Amino acid sequence: MRPTDPRDPIVGNDSGPVAPFPLQVSGPVVKGFGRGSKELGIPTANIPISGLAVGGNEHVESGVYFGWAGLEEGKADKFTVYPMVMSIGWNPFYKNTVRSVEVHIMHKFEADFYDSWLNLCILGFIRPEYDYTSKESLIEDINTDIDVAQKSLSRENWTKWKENSSLVARKATLKN
C-alpha cells in the first residue's frame, strides 16, 4: 500500500549514480496495455520484458526508476536522448499477470513510435511498486515520480549521463 508520508523531492546524491547503477535496458517499442495515454494521461513507451536481459538486468527489483532514454526517431540509427521515468513490475492496481517495462519519456510527441529502438540508461531507484485504492492516487504518484526524476537528473553528475554513447546506438554496450 502507498505510504502517506511526504516524498523526497530528489533521489540519489549529488556525486551521481552508485552501484548497481547505471543499468542498461534496450528493445523495440511495443504496444502495451493501452492505459498510459488513454486512461492515465501519461503516455508510455513499452519494451518487451526480455529487454531487461540486456546487461543482465532480468532480476531487477520491481519499482520506479529514472534516467535517460535514447529513442531511434525517423530513419534508422538517428537517436535523440530524453529524460525518462519508468516502471518495472506487475502494476498491482491493474492486477497484471505479466511483468512489464513501461517508460514515460519526458517529452511531448506528436505521434506513436512503435517498433522504434529504445535504449535506456537507468541511473537510480525512486520508489518500490505500490498498490493503489484509486486511479487518482496512482496518477498523483506518477506525476510526483516525474517531478522527482526531473529534479534528480538536473544535477551535473546526473546530466552528463545523457551524453553516454550507449544511448545512441542499436544494441549498445554501456560505457562509463
Side-chain angles (χ1 to χ4, degrees), residues 2-174:
R2 173 186 179 207
T4 56
D5 297 338
R7 304 243 323 258
D8 287 332
I10 204 163
V11 294
N13 58 50
D14 289 344
S15 63
V18 296
F21 303 102
L23 303 174
Q24 180 184 348
V25 177
S26 297
V29 177
V30 297
K31 283 195 178 280
F33 299 105
R35 300 185 289 241
S37 292
K38 294 179 184 86
E39 194 172 322
L40 302 175
I42 303 165
T44 59
N46 302 288
I47 63 171
I49 195 72
S50 61
L52 287 177
V54 174
N57 301 310
E58 58 270 3
H59 301 295
V60 71
E61 177 184 352
S62 291
V64 178
Y65 296 83
F66 71 100
W68 297 101
L71 176 64
E72 183 180 45
E73 296 185 84
K75 65 180 186 164
D77 295 328
K78 167 135 178 32
F79 286 79
T80 305
V81 177
Y82 301 99
M84 66 86 181
V85 63
M86 66 184 292
S87 168
I88 299 172
W90 299 93
N91 300 314
F93 178 75
Y94 287 104
K95 313 291 186 256
N96 287 1
T97 57
V98 295
R99 203 164 181 230
S100 62
V101 178
E102 300 172 308
V103 182
H104 174 69
I105 299 173
M106 293 185 261
H107 179 79
K108 174 94 170 121
F109 294 94
E110 298 301 320
D112 291 333
F113 42 86
Y114 296 114
D115 299 320
S116 294
W117 195 259
L118 186 62
N119 292 321
L120 305 174
C121 181
I122 304 170
L123 298 179
F125 182 79
I126 295 177
R127 64 172 175 86
E129 183 173 55
Y130 299 134
D131 197 355
Y132 293 88
T133 56
S134 72
K135 183 169 49 172
E136 293 73 26
S137 62
L138 170 61
I139 292 169
E140 180 183 328
D141 255 10
I142 294 170
N143 284 320
T144 300
D145 297 334
I146 292 167
D147 290 341
V148 168
Q150 287 173 325
K151 290 174 184 162
S152 298
L153 288 170
S154 69
R155 297 169 293 169
E156 180 182 353
N157 287 321
W158 298 82
T159 300
K160 69 181 183 182
W161 283 92
K162 74 179 174 183
E163 304 302 325
N164 192 289
S165 63
S166 70
L167 290 168
V168 294
R170 274 188 177 248
K171 310 222 182 199
T173 305
L174 186 64

